[in-house]
Short mmCIF file of all heavy atoms in Angstrom, two decimals:
data_model
loop_
_atom_site.label_atom_id
_atom_site.label_comp_id
_atom_site.label_asym_id
_atom_site.label_seq_id
_atom_site.Cartn_x
_atom_site.Cartn_y
_atom_site.Cartn_z
N LEU G 1 65.74 -93.51 27.12
CA LEU G 1 64.37 -93.99 27.21
C LEU G 1 63.41 -93.10 26.44
O LEU G 1 62.53 -93.58 25.73
CB LEU G 1 63.94 -94.10 28.68
CG LEU G 1 62.52 -94.58 28.93
CD1 LEU G 1 62.31 -95.98 28.36
CD2 LEU G 1 62.19 -94.54 30.41
N LEU G 2 63.64 -91.79 26.52
CA LEU G 2 62.75 -90.86 25.80
C LEU G 2 62.85 -91.03 24.29
O LEU G 2 61.84 -91.00 23.59
CB LEU G 2 63.06 -89.40 26.18
CG LEU G 2 62.56 -88.99 27.57
CD1 LEU G 2 63.01 -87.54 27.87
CD2 LEU G 2 61.06 -89.12 27.69
N LEU G 3 64.06 -91.21 23.78
CA LEU G 3 64.22 -91.42 22.33
C LEU G 3 63.57 -92.72 21.91
O LEU G 3 62.86 -92.79 20.90
CB LEU G 3 65.69 -91.41 21.92
CG LEU G 3 65.97 -91.59 20.43
CD1 LEU G 3 65.33 -90.51 19.59
CD2 LEU G 3 67.46 -91.69 20.17
N LEU G 4 63.76 -93.73 22.70
CA LEU G 4 63.15 -95.04 22.41
C LEU G 4 61.63 -94.95 22.40
O LEU G 4 60.98 -95.38 21.45
CB LEU G 4 63.61 -96.06 23.44
CG LEU G 4 63.19 -97.50 23.22
CD1 LEU G 4 63.89 -98.06 21.98
CD2 LEU G 4 63.52 -98.33 24.43
N LEU G 5 61.07 -94.32 23.42
CA LEU G 5 59.61 -94.19 23.50
C LEU G 5 59.06 -93.31 22.39
O LEU G 5 58.02 -93.64 21.80
CB LEU G 5 59.22 -93.62 24.87
CG LEU G 5 59.45 -94.53 26.08
CD1 LEU G 5 59.14 -93.79 27.38
CD2 LEU G 5 58.63 -95.81 25.97
N SER G 6 59.72 -92.22 22.09
CA SER G 6 59.19 -91.30 21.07
C SER G 6 59.21 -91.93 19.66
O SER G 6 58.28 -91.74 18.90
CB SER G 6 59.93 -89.96 21.08
OG SER G 6 61.26 -90.10 20.63
N THR G 7 60.27 -92.66 19.37
CA THR G 7 60.33 -93.26 18.03
C THR G 7 59.32 -94.40 17.88
O THR G 7 58.67 -94.51 16.86
CB THR G 7 61.76 -93.74 17.69
OG1 THR G 7 62.22 -94.62 18.69
CG2 THR G 7 62.72 -92.58 17.51
N PHE G 8 59.21 -95.22 18.91
CA PHE G 8 58.23 -96.31 18.79
C PHE G 8 56.80 -95.80 18.91
O PHE G 8 55.90 -96.37 18.28
CB PHE G 8 58.56 -97.43 19.78
CG PHE G 8 59.72 -98.27 19.31
CD1 PHE G 8 61.00 -98.02 19.80
CD2 PHE G 8 59.54 -99.23 18.34
CE1 PHE G 8 62.09 -98.76 19.32
CE2 PHE G 8 60.61 -99.96 17.87
CZ PHE G 8 61.90 -99.73 18.37
N ALA G 9 56.59 -94.71 19.63
CA ALA G 9 55.26 -94.10 19.66
C ALA G 9 54.90 -93.54 18.28
O ALA G 9 53.75 -93.68 17.84
CB ALA G 9 55.20 -93.00 20.72
N ALA G 10 55.86 -92.95 17.61
CA ALA G 10 55.61 -92.40 16.27
C ALA G 10 55.21 -93.52 15.30
O ALA G 10 54.26 -93.35 14.52
CB ALA G 10 56.85 -91.67 15.75
N VAL G 11 55.91 -94.63 15.37
CA VAL G 11 55.58 -95.78 14.51
C VAL G 11 54.17 -96.29 14.86
O VAL G 11 53.36 -96.55 13.96
CB VAL G 11 56.65 -96.89 14.61
CG1 VAL G 11 56.18 -98.16 13.93
CG2 VAL G 11 57.96 -96.39 14.03
N ALA G 12 53.90 -96.45 16.13
CA ALA G 12 52.58 -96.93 16.56
C ALA G 12 51.46 -95.99 16.09
O ALA G 12 50.43 -96.44 15.58
CB ALA G 12 52.53 -97.10 18.07
N ILE G 13 51.68 -94.72 16.27
CA ILE G 13 50.67 -93.74 15.81
C ILE G 13 50.46 -93.85 14.31
O ILE G 13 49.33 -93.83 13.83
CB ILE G 13 51.08 -92.30 16.23
CG1 ILE G 13 50.95 -92.15 17.75
CG2 ILE G 13 50.29 -91.25 15.47
CD1 ILE G 13 51.60 -90.89 18.29
N GLY G 14 51.56 -93.99 13.57
CA GLY G 14 51.45 -94.12 12.13
C GLY G 14 50.64 -95.35 11.74
O GLY G 14 49.86 -95.31 10.79
N TRP G 15 50.81 -96.44 12.46
CA TRP G 15 50.06 -97.68 12.13
C TRP G 15 48.61 -97.60 12.56
O TRP G 15 47.77 -98.25 11.96
CB TRP G 15 50.77 -98.88 12.78
CG TRP G 15 51.94 -99.33 11.99
CD1 TRP G 15 53.06 -98.61 11.73
CD2 TRP G 15 52.07 -100.57 11.29
NE1 TRP G 15 53.91 -99.33 10.94
CE2 TRP G 15 53.33 -100.53 10.66
CE3 TRP G 15 51.28 -101.70 11.17
CZ2 TRP G 15 53.79 -101.60 9.90
CZ3 TRP G 15 51.76 -102.75 10.42
CH2 TRP G 15 52.99 -102.68 9.78
N ILE G 16 48.32 -96.83 13.57
CA ILE G 16 46.92 -96.70 14.07
C ILE G 16 46.11 -95.72 13.24
O ILE G 16 44.93 -95.95 12.97
CB ILE G 16 46.94 -96.28 15.56
CG1 ILE G 16 47.51 -97.44 16.42
CG2 ILE G 16 45.55 -95.89 16.03
CD1 ILE G 16 47.83 -97.03 17.84
N ILE G 17 46.73 -94.63 12.82
CA ILE G 17 45.99 -93.55 12.14
C ILE G 17 45.12 -94.02 11.00
O ILE G 17 43.97 -93.58 10.86
CB ILE G 17 46.95 -92.42 11.69
CG1 ILE G 17 47.34 -91.58 12.91
CG2 ILE G 17 46.35 -91.53 10.62
CD1 ILE G 17 48.29 -90.46 12.59
N PRO G 18 45.58 -94.91 10.10
CA PRO G 18 44.70 -95.29 8.97
C PRO G 18 43.38 -95.96 9.40
O PRO G 18 42.44 -96.01 8.61
CB PRO G 18 45.56 -96.27 8.18
CG PRO G 18 46.96 -95.90 8.50
CD PRO G 18 46.91 -95.47 9.94
N PHE G 19 43.33 -96.44 10.63
CA PHE G 19 42.13 -97.11 11.13
C PHE G 19 41.21 -96.17 11.88
O PHE G 19 40.24 -96.63 12.52
CB PHE G 19 42.53 -98.28 12.03
CG PHE G 19 43.28 -99.37 11.28
CD1 PHE G 19 44.67 -99.35 11.24
CD2 PHE G 19 42.60 -100.37 10.63
CE1 PHE G 19 45.38 -100.32 10.55
CE2 PHE G 19 43.31 -101.37 9.93
CZ PHE G 19 44.67 -101.34 9.88
N THR G 20 41.48 -94.86 11.83
CA THR G 20 40.72 -93.89 12.60
C THR G 20 40.09 -92.84 11.67
O THR G 20 40.47 -92.72 10.51
CB THR G 20 41.63 -93.15 13.60
OG1 THR G 20 42.55 -92.30 12.86
CG2 THR G 20 42.39 -94.11 14.50
N PRO G 21 39.14 -92.07 12.20
CA PRO G 21 38.59 -90.96 11.42
C PRO G 21 39.66 -89.92 11.03
O PRO G 21 39.56 -89.30 9.98
CB PRO G 21 37.55 -90.34 12.35
CG PRO G 21 37.15 -91.46 13.25
CD PRO G 21 38.39 -92.28 13.46
N VAL G 22 40.68 -89.77 11.87
CA VAL G 22 41.78 -88.86 11.52
C VAL G 22 42.46 -89.34 10.24
O VAL G 22 42.77 -88.55 9.35
CB VAL G 22 42.80 -88.75 12.68
CG1 VAL G 22 44.02 -87.96 12.26
CG2 VAL G 22 42.16 -88.15 13.90
N GLY G 23 42.69 -90.66 10.15
CA GLY G 23 43.28 -91.22 8.95
C GLY G 23 42.41 -90.96 7.72
O GLY G 23 42.93 -90.59 6.66
N ALA G 24 41.12 -91.17 7.88
CA ALA G 24 40.19 -90.92 6.76
C ALA G 24 40.27 -89.45 6.32
O ALA G 24 40.24 -89.14 5.14
CB ALA G 24 38.78 -91.30 7.16
N PHE G 25 40.36 -88.54 7.29
CA PHE G 25 40.48 -87.12 6.99
C PHE G 25 41.72 -86.84 6.12
O PHE G 25 41.67 -86.01 5.21
CB PHE G 25 40.55 -86.30 8.28
CG PHE G 25 40.81 -84.84 8.05
CD1 PHE G 25 39.77 -83.99 7.71
CD2 PHE G 25 42.09 -84.29 8.21
CE1 PHE G 25 40.00 -82.64 7.48
CE2 PHE G 25 42.32 -82.96 7.99
CZ PHE G 25 41.28 -82.13 7.63
N PHE G 26 42.79 -87.55 6.38
CA PHE G 26 44.03 -87.38 5.62
C PHE G 26 44.11 -88.26 4.38
O PHE G 26 45.12 -88.30 3.67
CB PHE G 26 45.25 -87.63 6.51
CG PHE G 26 45.53 -86.51 7.45
CD1 PHE G 26 45.11 -86.56 8.77
CD2 PHE G 26 46.21 -85.38 7.04
CE1 PHE G 26 45.37 -85.53 9.64
CE2 PHE G 26 46.48 -84.34 7.90
CZ PHE G 26 46.05 -84.39 9.22
N GLY G 27 43.05 -89.01 4.10
CA GLY G 27 43.01 -89.86 2.91
C GLY G 27 43.72 -91.18 3.07
O GLY G 27 44.01 -91.86 2.10
N LEU G 28 43.99 -91.59 4.31
CA LEU G 28 44.63 -92.87 4.59
C LEU G 28 43.55 -93.91 4.84
O LEU G 28 42.47 -93.60 5.35
CB LEU G 28 45.54 -92.77 5.80
CG LEU G 28 46.66 -91.72 5.70
CD1 LEU G 28 47.38 -91.55 7.03
CD2 LEU G 28 47.64 -92.09 4.58
N VAL G 29 43.82 -95.14 4.44
CA VAL G 29 42.83 -96.21 4.56
C VAL G 29 43.45 -97.41 5.29
O VAL G 29 44.67 -97.59 5.26
CB VAL G 29 42.32 -96.65 3.17
CG1 VAL G 29 41.58 -95.50 2.48
CG2 VAL G 29 43.45 -97.18 2.31
N PRO G 30 42.62 -98.21 5.95
CA PRO G 30 43.16 -99.43 6.60
C PRO G 30 43.74 -100.37 5.56
O PRO G 30 43.19 -100.53 4.46
CB PRO G 30 41.92 -100.04 7.27
CG PRO G 30 40.93 -98.93 7.40
CD PRO G 30 41.20 -98.02 6.22
N LEU G 31 44.86 -100.99 5.92
CA LEU G 31 45.46 -101.98 5.05
C LEU G 31 45.22 -103.37 5.60
O LEU G 31 45.02 -103.55 6.79
CB LEU G 31 46.97 -101.74 4.94
CG LEU G 31 47.42 -100.38 4.38
CD1 LEU G 31 48.95 -100.31 4.33
CD2 LEU G 31 46.85 -100.14 3.01
N SER G 32 45.23 -104.36 4.71
CA SER G 32 45.03 -105.74 5.13
C SER G 32 46.24 -106.19 5.96
O SER G 32 47.34 -105.64 5.84
CB SER G 32 44.90 -106.63 3.91
OG SER G 32 46.16 -106.77 3.27
N PRO G 33 46.02 -107.18 6.83
CA PRO G 33 47.16 -107.72 7.59
C PRO G 33 48.31 -108.18 6.71
O PRO G 33 49.47 -107.99 7.06
CB PRO G 33 46.54 -108.90 8.36
CG PRO G 33 45.10 -108.55 8.48
CD PRO G 33 44.77 -107.81 7.22
N PHE G 34 48.02 -108.73 5.57
CA PHE G 34 49.06 -109.17 4.65
C PHE G 34 49.90 -107.99 4.17
O PHE G 34 51.13 -108.07 4.08
CB PHE G 34 48.44 -109.92 3.45
CG PHE G 34 49.46 -110.43 2.50
CD1 PHE G 34 50.27 -111.52 2.83
CD2 PHE G 34 49.65 -109.83 1.27
CE1 PHE G 34 51.25 -112.00 1.95
CE2 PHE G 34 50.61 -110.30 0.39
CZ PHE G 34 51.41 -111.38 0.73
N MET G 35 49.24 -106.89 3.82
CA MET G 35 49.98 -105.71 3.37
C MET G 35 50.79 -105.10 4.48
O MET G 35 51.93 -104.64 4.28
CB MET G 35 49.03 -104.68 2.75
CG MET G 35 48.47 -105.11 1.45
SD MET G 35 47.42 -103.84 0.76
CE MET G 35 46.77 -104.69 -0.66
N LEU G 36 50.24 -105.06 5.68
CA LEU G 36 50.99 -104.56 6.83
C LEU G 36 52.22 -105.42 7.11
O LEU G 36 53.30 -104.91 7.41
CB LEU G 36 50.10 -104.49 8.08
CG LEU G 36 48.96 -103.48 8.03
CD1 LEU G 36 48.04 -103.66 9.22
CD2 LEU G 36 49.52 -102.06 7.97
N LEU G 37 52.04 -106.74 6.97
CA LEU G 37 53.18 -107.64 7.15
C LEU G 37 54.24 -107.41 6.06
O LEU G 37 55.44 -107.44 6.34
CB LEU G 37 52.67 -109.08 7.11
CG LEU G 37 53.69 -110.16 7.44
CD1 LEU G 37 54.26 -109.96 8.84
CD2 LEU G 37 53.06 -111.54 7.30
N ALA G 38 53.80 -107.15 4.83
CA ALA G 38 54.75 -106.87 3.75
C ALA G 38 55.55 -105.60 4.06
O ALA G 38 56.77 -105.58 3.85
CB ALA G 38 53.98 -106.73 2.43
N ILE G 39 54.86 -104.58 4.55
CA ILE G 39 55.58 -103.34 4.91
C ILE G 39 56.55 -103.60 6.06
O ILE G 39 57.71 -103.16 6.01
CB ILE G 39 54.56 -102.23 5.29
CG1 ILE G 39 53.74 -101.84 4.06
CG2 ILE G 39 55.29 -101.03 5.90
CD1 ILE G 39 52.56 -100.96 4.35
N ALA G 40 56.12 -104.32 7.06
CA ALA G 40 57.02 -104.64 8.18
C ALA G 40 58.24 -105.42 7.69
O ALA G 40 59.37 -105.17 8.14
CB ALA G 40 56.26 -105.43 9.25
N GLY G 41 58.02 -106.33 6.75
CA GLY G 41 59.13 -107.11 6.20
C GLY G 41 60.12 -106.22 5.43
O GLY G 41 61.33 -106.36 5.58
N ILE G 42 59.57 -105.32 4.62
CA ILE G 42 60.43 -104.40 3.86
C ILE G 42 61.26 -103.57 4.82
O ILE G 42 62.48 -103.38 4.66
CB ILE G 42 59.58 -103.49 2.96
CG1 ILE G 42 59.01 -104.30 1.79
CG2 ILE G 42 60.39 -102.30 2.47
CD1 ILE G 42 57.96 -103.55 0.98
N VAL G 43 60.63 -103.05 5.88
CA VAL G 43 61.34 -102.21 6.85
C VAL G 43 62.42 -103.03 7.60
O VAL G 43 63.51 -102.55 7.82
CB VAL G 43 60.35 -101.55 7.82
CG1 VAL G 43 61.07 -100.84 8.97
CG2 VAL G 43 59.45 -100.58 7.07
N ALA G 44 62.07 -104.23 7.98
CA ALA G 44 63.04 -105.09 8.71
C ALA G 44 64.27 -105.36 7.83
O ALA G 44 65.42 -105.27 8.31
CB ALA G 44 62.37 -106.41 9.14
N VAL G 45 64.06 -105.70 6.57
CA VAL G 45 65.19 -105.97 5.67
C VAL G 45 65.99 -104.68 5.45
O VAL G 45 67.23 -104.71 5.43
CB VAL G 45 64.71 -106.59 4.35
CG1 VAL G 45 65.84 -106.71 3.35
CG2 VAL G 45 64.08 -107.94 4.57
#
């Protein structure tokens, strides 16, 4: 359960960060839903 939670938490944090001031600090920007879907598709394949 801990491995499952930690890996999915890492992914969730990664997806949230670009939409926050922390993301802006690191030079990350929000992506469009289409681009996020494209990334999810690439990862799934």
Side-chain angles (χ1 to χ4, degrees):
L1 180 60
L2 286 177
L3 181 60
L4 186 68
L5 292 174
S6 69
T7 54
F8 284 97
V11 170
I13 288 167
W15 279 64
I16 292 168
I17 284 179
F19 296 93
T20 69
V22 173
F25 174 80
F26 284 99
L28 302 172
V29 296
L31 300 181
S32 72
F34 182 73
M35 289 183 186
L36 293 172
L37 186 60
I39 293 169
I42 288 169
V43 171
V45 173

